[in-house]
Amino acid sequence: MDTRVAIIGIIVESPDSVEKMNAILHEYGRYIIGRMGIPYREKELNIISIAVDAPQDVISALSGKIGKLPGVSAKTAYSNVITHACE
């Protein structure tokens, strides 16, 4: 199956959703290249970026699950780097 490289940008405004979000990220851990989190204490929110290399439907599912959490928003930016299954 073809995979794409993408970045999922996440804004967490509700601390109550952090545990569920981390469980989702753990579930998709095999696709995660790296993760960077920045606490923005003055605004009481967290900014997280997740770099992934996965099939497009997996990336969409991950971003969708995260974005459905209360007080969490997620947006995905896709690269044009596509790895074909035979490579």
Side-chain angles (χ1 to χ4, degrees):
M1 184 174 282
D2 294 350
T3 64
R4 291 185 77 174
V5 174
I7 294 288
I8 302 173
I10 305 166
I11 303 290
V12 181
E13 298 176 4
S14 173
D16 297 335
S17 293
V18 171
E19 188 174 333
K20 289 179 183 175
M21 183 191 67
N22 283 330
I24 293 168
L25 292 174
H26 180 74
E27 178 184 343
Y28 288 85
R30 66 181 168 180
Y31 301 108
I32 296 175
I33 301 167
R35 170 181 176 170
M36 179 180 64
I38 303 169
Y40 192 0
R41 291 178 185 90
E42 293 82 10
K43 302 287 183 176
E44 298 182 5
L45 56 84
N46 292 291
I47 304 161
I48 302 167
S49 62
I50 308 290
V52 295
D53 186 359
Q56 186 162 341
D57 61 333
V58 171
I59 297 169
S60 296
L62 172 57
S63 183
K65 286 181 182 181
I66 291 171
K68 288 181 182 177
L69 294 171
V72 179
S73 55
K75 297 291 180 190
T76 305
Y78 293 91
S79 77
N80 291 323
V81 177
I82 299 173
T83 304
H84 300 289
C86 61
E87 292 181 7

